[in-house]
């Protein structure tokens, strides 16, 4: 099943390059302010962006109060304003999002980290990782892949807990990894008598820290 869904991801990446007319898409992530130095180099200076989007998803809205969403993880439905500009007009918001990913712990060499994919219930969860961000829309229902190419399968599992499925990792004690940037995204679907489609969650991002940083045990 992981192989089948990975194939559909690659197909979506291919088809996204062929989209000409703007059409609604959806993304999940944390809304944050754009640092002022960035606003001067964009084709249309925005005020807000999606966290961990790496400059590929800036947002504005004439119908949604984005300031009220600052710091929140939400699902946004939006349309790109200009194909030459990574600025999107948000038309609706789903809060809380149907699928989410949390990172806790210290992303330093030799330290444990936890990635929690939710929500819970009897469900299947997938994780992918990449060294860069991207934007490859599937559909409004299924969301968008927020990882750059190439990306790779990181983990998968089935969980039934209330808080979702936790994936535990210990980062290798390899000093050559310090400074390496990583983006991780999840997908989740219900399993059981009625099996739903995979829905993409938000991306989390970090750069691996040196081992001198004290490890904080994961608590999410």
């Amino acid at each position: 099943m992981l192989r089948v869904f990975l194939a559909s991801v690659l197909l979506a990446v291919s088809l996204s390059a062929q989209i000409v007319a703007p059409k609604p898409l959806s993304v999940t992530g944390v809304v944050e302010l754009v640092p002022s130095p960035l606003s001067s180099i964009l084709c249309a200076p925005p005020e807000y962006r999606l966290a961990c989007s790496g400059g590929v998803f800036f947002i504005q809205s004439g119908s949604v109060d984005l300031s009220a969403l600052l710091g929140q993880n939400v699902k946004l439905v939006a349309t790109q304003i200009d194909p030459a500009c990574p600025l999107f007009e948000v038309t609706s918001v789903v809060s809380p999002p149907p699928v989410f990913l949390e990172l806790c712990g210290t992303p330093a060499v030799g330290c444990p980290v936890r990635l929690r994919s939710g929500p819970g219930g009897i469900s299947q969860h997938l994780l992918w990782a990449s060294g860069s961000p991207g934007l490859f829309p599937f559909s409004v229902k299924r969301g968008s892949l927020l990882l750059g190419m190439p990306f790779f399968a990181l983990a998968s599992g089935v969980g039934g807990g209330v808080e979702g499925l936790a994936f535990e990792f210990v980062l290798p004690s390899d000093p050559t990894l310090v400074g390496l940037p990583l983006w991780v995204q999840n997908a989740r679907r219900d399993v059981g008598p009625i099996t739903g489609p995979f829905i993409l969650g938000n991306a989390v991002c970090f750069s691996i820290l040196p081992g001198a940083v004290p490890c904080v045990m994961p608590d999410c």
Side-chain angles (χ1 to χ4, degrees):
M1 182 55 66
L2 176 59
R3 186 176 301 172
V4 172
F5 189 62
L6 184 59
S8 66
V9 169
L10 294 173
L11 177 61
V13 169
S14 174
L15 292 177
S16 67
Q18 303 174 28
I19 296 174
V20 177
K23 65 178 184 179
L25 56 81
S26 71
V27 297
T28 296
V30 176
V31 176
E32 64 181 17
L33 288 171
V34 174
S36 54
L38 289 179
S39 62
S40 62
I41 62 173
L42 297 170
C43 46
E47 188 176 357
Y48 304 97
R49 68 180 180 184
L50 195 73
C52 293
S53 63
V56 301
F57 205 86
F58 297 91
I59 53 177
Q60 67 178 35
S61 182
S63 58
V64 175
D65 182 6
L66 297 177
S67 65
L69 301 176
L70 282 173
Q72 296 184 39
N73 191 7
V74 294
K75 179 177 181 178
L76 304 174
V77 178
T79 302
Q80 190 167 8
I81 296 172
D82 181 343
C85 180
L87 181 61
F88 294 78
E89 176 73 19
V90 175
T91 56
S92 64
V93 178
V94 178
S95 179
V99 177
F100 62 85
L101 182 65
E102 294 179 298
L103 168 69
C104 58
T106 303
V109 292
C111 289
V113 294
R114 178 180 297 153
L115 291 160
R116 183 176 295 280
S117 176
I122 303 175
S123 49
Q124 183 179 11
H125 302 257
L126 309 175
L127 293 182
W128 297 279
S130 174
S132 63
L135 177 63
F136 303 105
F138 273 76
S139 65
V140 170
K141 179 176 178 61
R142 300 187 72 171
S144 299
L145 182 70
L146 300 173
L147 305 180
M149 299 287 283
F151 59 90
F152 60 91
L154 182 62
S156 64
V158 176
V162 175
E163 298 180 348
L165 184 61
F167 295 91
E168 309 276 353
F169 302 92
V170 176
L171 297 179
S173 297
D174 182 351
T176 64
L177 297 177
V178 173
L180 178 70
L182 286 174
W183 280 257
V184 182
Q185 188 175 7
N186 69 324
R188 175 203 179 275
R189 70 171 181 173
D190 293 321
V191 294
I194 300 178
T195 298
F198 278 108
I199 306 297
L200 288 153
N202 57 289
V204 297
C205 57
F206 58 91
S207 292
I208 296 180
L209 301 172
V213 176
C215 296
V216 175
M217 298 306 294
D219 61 356
C220 62

